[in-house]
Amino acid sequence: GENVEQHPSTLSVQEGDSAVIKCTYSDSASNYFPWYKQELGKRPQLIIDIRSNVGEKKDQRIAVTLNKTAKHFSLHITETQPEDSAVYFCAPRAAGNKLTFGGGTRVLVKP
Amino acid sequence: GAGVSQSPSNKVTEKGKDVELRCDPISGHTALYWYRQRLGQGLEFLIYFQGNSAPDKSGLPSDRFSAERTGESVSTLTIQRTQQEDSAVYLCASSPGLPSSYEQYFGPGTRLTVT
Protein backbone atom coordinates (compact mmCIF):
# COMPACT_ATOMS: atom_id res chain seq x y z
CA GLY A 1 0.00 0.00 0.00
CA GLU A 2 0.87 3.68 -0.16
CA ASN A 3 3.27 5.05 2.47
CA VAL A 4 2.83 8.76 3.15
CA GLU A 5 4.98 11.01 5.30
CA GLN A 6 4.63 14.69 6.09
CA HIS A 7 7.31 17.07 7.30
CA PRO A 8 7.48 18.92 9.54
CA SER A 9 5.02 17.56 12.08
CA THR A 10 4.69 21.00 13.67
CA LEU A 11 5.42 24.42 12.24
CA SER A 12 5.35 27.76 14.03
CA VAL A 13 5.53 30.92 11.90
CA GLN A 14 5.15 34.63 12.48
CA GLU A 15 2.08 36.23 10.96
CA GLY A 16 2.90 37.41 7.46
CA ASP A 17 5.64 34.85 6.89
CA SER A 18 5.37 31.86 4.56
CA ALA A 19 4.83 28.22 5.52
CA VAL A 20 5.80 25.14 3.53
CA ILE A 21 4.80 21.55 4.25
CA LYS A 22 6.22 18.62 2.32
CA CYS A 23 4.52 15.28 1.66
CA THR A 24 6.38 12.26 0.33
CA TYR A 25 4.62 9.17 -0.99
CA SER A 26 5.72 5.76 -2.17
CA ASP A 27 3.38 4.65 -4.96
CA SER A 28 4.53 5.88 -8.36
CA ALA A 29 0.99 5.25 -9.68
CA SER A 30 -0.37 8.09 -7.51
CA ASN A 31 -2.04 10.68 -9.72
CA TYR A 32 -4.08 12.95 -7.46
CA PHE A 33 -2.60 15.06 -4.67
CA PRO A 34 -4.87 16.98 -2.28
CA TRP A 35 -4.32 18.93 0.90
CA TYR A 36 -6.92 19.03 3.67
CA LYS A 37 -7.16 21.55 6.51
CA GLN A 38 -8.63 20.67 9.89
CA GLU A 39 -9.28 23.47 12.33
CA LEU A 40 -9.50 22.65 16.00
CA GLY A 41 -12.65 20.69 16.76
CA LYS A 42 -13.84 20.74 13.15
CA ARG A 43 -13.95 18.34 10.24
CA PRO A 44 -11.20 18.15 7.59
CA GLN A 45 -11.89 20.16 4.43
CA LEU A 46 -10.19 20.16 1.05
CA ILE A 47 -8.26 23.38 0.44
CA ILE A 48 -6.36 22.63 -2.75
CA ASP A 49 -5.55 19.70 -5.01
CA ILE A 50 -3.48 18.93 -8.07
CA ARG A 51 -3.40 16.19 -10.66
CA SER A 52 -0.31 14.55 -12.02
CA ASN A 53 -0.41 16.31 -15.37
CA VAL A 54 0.20 19.66 -13.65
CA GLY A 55 3.31 20.82 -11.79
CA GLU A 56 1.86 23.69 -9.79
CA LYS A 57 -1.50 25.13 -8.84
CA LYS A 58 -2.24 28.34 -6.99
CA ASP A 59 -5.34 29.67 -5.26
CA GLN A 60 -4.86 33.09 -3.68
CA ARG A 61 -2.41 32.62 -0.78
CA ILE A 62 -2.06 28.85 -1.09
CA ALA A 63 -0.28 26.80 -3.71
CA VAL A 64 0.64 23.17 -4.28
CA THR A 65 3.71 22.02 -6.19
CA LEU A 66 4.31 18.49 -7.42
CA ASN A 67 7.52 16.62 -8.20
CA LYS A 68 6.42 13.25 -9.57
CA THR A 69 9.97 12.09 -10.26
CA ALA A 70 10.94 12.53 -6.62
CA LYS A 71 7.48 11.48 -5.39
CA HIS A 72 6.71 14.46 -3.25
CA PHE A 73 4.38 17.43 -3.25
CA SER A 74 4.27 20.51 -1.09
CA LEU A 75 1.77 22.99 0.31
CA HIS A 76 2.82 26.63 0.31
CA ILE A 77 1.00 29.28 2.32
CA THR A 78 2.10 32.88 1.83
CA GLU A 79 1.32 35.92 4.01
CA THR A 80 0.13 33.67 6.82
CA GLN A 81 -2.74 34.85 8.99
CA PRO A 82 -3.96 33.61 12.39
CA GLU A 83 -6.85 31.79 10.69
CA ASP A 84 -4.30 29.60 8.91
CA SER A 85 -3.56 27.96 12.26
CA ALA A 86 -4.77 24.37 11.86
CA VAL A 87 -3.62 20.84 11.13
CA TYR A 88 -2.90 20.14 7.46
CA PHE A 89 -3.05 16.67 5.92
CA CYS A 90 -1.80 15.50 2.55
CA ALA A 91 -3.72 12.57 1.05
CA PRO A 92 -2.39 11.18 -2.24
CA ARG A 93 -4.51 8.83 -4.29
CA ALA A 94 -2.96 5.72 -5.82
CA ALA A 95 -5.91 3.59 -6.94
CA GLY A 96 -9.67 3.61 -6.87
CA ASN A 97 -11.23 6.36 -4.82
CA LYS A 98 -9.17 5.75 -1.71
CA LEU A 99 -6.92 8.49 -0.31
CA THR A 100 -4.05 7.75 2.07
CA PHE A 101 -3.76 10.50 4.67
CA GLY A 102 -0.42 11.63 6.05
CA GLY A 103 0.11 12.08 9.77
CA GLY A 104 -0.64 15.78 9.69
CA THR A 105 1.28 19.02 10.25
CA ARG A 106 0.20 21.33 13.02
CA VAL A 107 0.68 24.95 11.93
CA LEU A 108 0.62 27.77 14.44
CA VAL A 109 0.63 31.35 13.19
CA LYS A 110 1.80 33.74 15.89
CA PRO A 111 0.35 37.27 15.73
CA GLY B 1 -27.45 21.10 -0.20
CA ALA B 2 -27.20 18.79 2.77
CA GLY B 3 -23.76 17.64 3.70
CA VAL B 4 -22.62 14.42 5.37
CA SER B 5 -24.34 13.86 8.70
CA GLN B 6 -23.41 11.55 11.54
CA SER B 7 -25.20 10.41 14.64
CA PRO B 8 -24.90 10.48 17.52
CA SER B 9 -22.55 13.44 17.86
CA ASN B 10 -21.36 12.14 21.21
CA LYS B 11 -21.53 8.69 22.71
CA VAL B 12 -20.38 7.59 26.15
CA THR B 13 -20.43 3.88 26.76
CA GLU B 14 -19.14 1.42 29.31
CA LYS B 15 -16.31 -0.91 28.50
CA GLY B 16 -17.63 -4.16 27.04
CA LYS B 17 -20.79 -2.67 25.52
CA ASP B 18 -21.53 -2.61 21.79
CA VAL B 19 -22.03 0.70 19.94
CA GLU B 20 -23.45 1.64 16.55
CA LEU B 21 -22.45 4.80 14.75
CA ARG B 22 -24.43 6.09 11.80
CA CYS B 23 -23.41 8.02 8.68
CA ASP B 24 -25.69 9.64 6.10
CA PRO B 25 -23.63 10.50 3.02
CA ILE B 26 -24.35 13.19 0.47
CA SER B 27 -27.07 11.98 -1.89
CA GLY B 28 -25.61 10.50 -5.07
CA HIS B 29 -22.15 9.88 -3.61
CA THR B 30 -21.14 6.31 -4.41
CA ALA B 31 -18.05 6.17 -2.21
CA LEU B 32 -18.17 6.18 1.59
CA TYR B 33 -15.30 6.04 4.08
CA TRP B 34 -14.86 5.59 7.82
CA TYR B 35 -11.86 6.96 9.70
CA ARG B 36 -10.80 7.02 13.33
CA GLN B 37 -9.05 10.04 14.81
CA ARG B 38 -7.60 9.79 18.28
CA LEU B 39 -7.01 13.00 20.20
CA GLY B 40 -4.30 15.05 18.54
CA GLN B 41 -3.60 12.35 15.98
CA GLY B 42 -4.06 11.87 12.25
CA LEU B 43 -6.81 10.12 10.30
CA GLU B 44 -6.70 6.35 10.56
CA PHE B 45 -8.46 4.65 7.64
CA LEU B 46 -10.95 1.96 8.69
CA ILE B 47 -13.13 0.89 5.76
CA TYR B 48 -14.21 2.06 2.30
CA PHE B 49 -17.38 1.30 0.31
CA GLN B 50 -17.60 1.93 -3.44
CA GLY B 51 -20.96 1.29 -5.07
CA ASN B 52 -21.81 -2.40 -5.12
CA SER B 53 -18.21 -3.56 -4.93
CA ALA B 54 -16.91 -5.55 -1.97
CA PRO B 55 -15.79 -3.08 0.73
CA ASP B 56 -12.12 -2.46 1.44
CA LYS B 57 -11.85 -3.56 5.09
CA SER B 58 -8.08 -3.40 5.25
CA GLY B 59 -8.04 -0.72 7.97
CA LEU B 60 -10.30 -2.37 10.51
CA PRO B 61 -8.14 -2.84 13.63
CA SER B 62 -9.81 -6.00 14.92
CA ASP B 63 -12.78 -8.29 14.36
CA ARG B 64 -14.68 -6.24 16.95
CA PHE B 65 -15.14 -3.62 14.23
CA SER B 66 -17.57 -4.05 11.35
CA ALA B 67 -19.48 -1.79 8.99
CA GLU B 68 -22.35 -2.07 6.61
CA ARG B 69 -23.77 0.12 3.91
CA THR B 70 -27.23 -0.15 2.38
CA GLY B 71 -26.86 0.44 -1.34
CA GLU B 72 -25.49 3.94 -1.81
CA SER B 73 -27.05 5.40 1.31
CA VAL B 74 -26.68 5.05 5.04
CA SER B 75 -23.75 3.28 6.65
CA THR B 76 -23.35 2.00 10.19
CA LEU B 77 -20.09 1.27 11.97
CA THR B 78 -20.42 -1.24 14.80
CA ILE B 79 -17.90 -1.74 17.55
CA GLN B 80 -18.49 -4.77 19.72
CA ARG B 81 -17.22 -5.23 23.27
CA THR B 82 -15.78 -1.71 23.36
CA GLN B 83 -12.40 -1.09 24.95
CA GLN B 84 -10.96 2.13 26.35
CA GLU B 85 -8.55 2.36 23.42
CA ASP B 86 -11.58 2.67 21.12
CA SER B 87 -12.16 6.18 22.51
CA ALA B 88 -11.77 8.56 19.57
CA VAL B 89 -13.67 10.64 17.05
CA TYR B 90 -15.07 8.51 14.26
CA LEU B 91 -15.32 10.42 11.00
CA CYS B 92 -17.34 9.45 7.97
CA ALA B 93 -16.73 10.90 4.52
CA SER B 94 -18.39 10.49 1.15
CA SER B 95 -17.19 11.14 -2.37
CA PRO B 96 -18.83 11.26 -5.80
CA GLY B 97 -16.71 8.27 -6.81
CA LEU B 98 -15.95 9.78 -10.20
CA PRO B 99 -12.57 10.32 -11.86
CA SER B 100 -13.58 13.96 -12.18
CA SER B 101 -13.77 14.37 -8.40
CA TYR B 102 -11.94 12.48 -5.70
CA GLU B 103 -12.73 15.08 -3.04
CA GLN B 104 -13.94 13.58 0.21
CA TYR B 105 -16.62 15.45 2.15
CA PHE B 106 -16.44 14.80 5.86
CA GLY B 107 -19.19 14.62 8.43
CA PRO B 108 -18.89 16.28 11.84
CA GLY B 109 -17.83 13.03 13.49
CA THR B 110 -19.02 10.99 16.45
CA ARG B 111 -16.99 11.42 19.63
CA LEU B 112 -16.88 8.03 21.36
CA THR B 113 -15.81 7.79 24.98
CA VAL B 114 -15.43 4.37 26.56
CA THR B 115 -15.37 4.45 30.36
Side-chain angles (χ1 to χ4, degrees):
Chain A
E2 175 94 275
N3 290 319
V4 179
E5 290 189 1
Q6 282 183 236
H7 293 282
S9 55
T10 59
L11 181 57
S12 182
V13 297
Q14 208 66 39
E15 182 177 357
D17 287 351
S18 295
V20 181
I21 306 168
K22 184 176 178 179
C23 180
T24 59
Y25 59 94
S26 61
D27 194 330
S28 56
S30 295
N31 61 4
Y32 171 70
F33 308 93
W35 285 95
Y36 283 75
K37 175 182 180 182
Q38 186 177 29
E39 297 178 31
L40 189 63
K42 297 193 176 179
R43 70 193 80 183
Q45 289 190 300
L46 178 72
I47 55 170
I48 196 166
D49 57 11
I50 196 171
R51 294 189 182 238
S52 57
N53 57 343
V54 178
E56 180 174 358
K57 183 177 177 181
K58 193 172 182 181
D59 182 3
Q60 299 183 357
R61 295 187 298 104
I62 60 173
V64 54
T65 58
L66 171 65
N67 185 327
K68 278 216 77 179
T69 303
K71 291 191 280 188
H72 64 74
F73 62 111
S74 297
L75 176 69
H76 305 254
I77 308 173
T78 58
E79 301 171 26
T80 53
Q81 300 170 5
E83 55 263 36
D84 296 327
S85 295
V87 179
Y88 294 82
F89 295 96
C90 64
R93 168 195 173 269
N97 290 304
K98 183 178 168 183
L99 305 179
T100 303
F101 283 81
T105 297
R106 187 173 302 276
V107 174
L108 175 64
V109 180
K110 296 178 289 185
Chain B
V4 178
S5 61
Q6 292 185 244
S7 61
S9 55
N10 280 284
K11 176 72 176 178
V12 180
T13 190
E14 291 181 352
K15 177 182 172 182
K17 300 281 190 184
D18 297 353
V19 294
E20 262 192 14
L21 312 180
R22 176 187 169 110
C23 172
D24 284 86
I26 293 172
S27 177
H29 280 194
T30 62
L32 186 146
Y33 313 79
W34 283 99
Y35 297 91
R36 178 169 69 181
Q37 188 171 36
R38 292 195 168 106
L39 189 63
Q41 303 297 310
L43 298 171
E44 180 184 0
F45 166 76
L46 296 178
I47 189 168
Y48 154 49
F49 297 89
Q50 173 64 63
N52 294 320
S53 302
D56 177 348
K57 305 179 181 180
S58 60
L60 295 177
S62 77
D63 58 8
R64 296 187 297 105
F65 288 73
S66 63
E68 292 185 348
R69 186 180 187 193
T70 308
E72 292 185 354
S73 60
V74 172
S75 175
T76 55
L77 175 69
T78 301
I79 309 174
Q80 295 179 310
R81 305 181 302 281
T82 51
Q83 304 293 313
Q84 288 187 329
E85 62 262 28
D86 299 335
S87 295
V89 175
Y90 289 81
L91 289 163
C92 172
S94 71
S95 172
L98 302 170
S100 59
S101 176
Y102 297 119
E103 179 176 357
Q104 293 186 14
Y105 297 79
F106 284 83
T110 293
R111 182 176 300 278
L112 176 66
T113 304
V114 182
T115 61

